[in-house]
Amino acid sequence: MELESINSLILSEKLVGLFVEQEEEIEKAVKGNYYSLIFQVFAQKMTIFYNETTTWADYLGTKQKFWNDFMAAGLFYVLGNWVKNGCQDSYDEVVKMVVEFHE
């Protein structure tokens, strides 16, 4: 799928849906102490995504890397905790917040 053709709502739905689909694996990762390894892969994939879809006019070098890391860590932490805590907020509400975070 062309990354540029995905709007923020569809992308957020896919991202939140991925965490919902992986709920059991996230629980296993927490219990097995390899949750941080999953984060490393997630951060790498998010960096690739941002590099392919973001214009970095003001963010070069270290600033770009820090921004990528910050966004990946925030998304992973928030969505991971949402899933680990039983998805108490509705899927639609979480998707809406992810869209807002990226605006």
Side-chain angles (χ1 to χ4, degrees):
M1 188 179 295
E2 296 275 331
L3 292 176
E4 292 82 14
S5 67
I6 299 176
N7 69 39
S8 60
L9 177 59
I10 293 171
L11 179 62
S12 296
E13 289 172 341
K14 290 183 178 296
L15 184 59
V16 173
L18 173 68
F19 275 79
V20 171
E21 290 169 10
Q22 297 302 316
E23 181 176 6
E24 187 176 313
E25 293 303 317
I26 289 170
E27 290 174 9
K28 287 179 188 176
V30 170
K31 289 177 185 173
N33 292 320
Y34 60 91
Y35 190 66
S36 63
L37 293 174
I38 295 173
F39 167 70
Q40 290 175 15
V41 173
F42 180 81
Q44 290 171 349
K45 298 298 182 184
M46 291 303 295
T47 295
I48 292 167
F49 169 76
Y50 286 130
N51 287 341
E52 291 180 1
T53 61
T54 305
T55 302
W56 295 106
D58 296 333
Y59 289 83
L60 301 172
T62 301
K63 189 174 182 181
Q64 179 181 347
K65 180 183 178 344
F66 280 15
W67 191 88
N68 281 330
D69 290 348
F70 177 81
M71 292 303 291
L75 284 168
F76 190 82
Y77 181 82
V78 169
L79 295 176
N81 281 341
W82 174 66
V83 168
K84 288 190 292 185
N85 292 320
C87 302
Q88 293 179 12
D89 297 296
S90 76
Y91 169 88
D92 290 335
E93 176 134 353
V94 173
V95 167
K96 181 180 173 189
M97 285 187 281
V98 171
V99 169
E100 289 174 7
F101 294 159
H102 276 91
E103 290 179 343

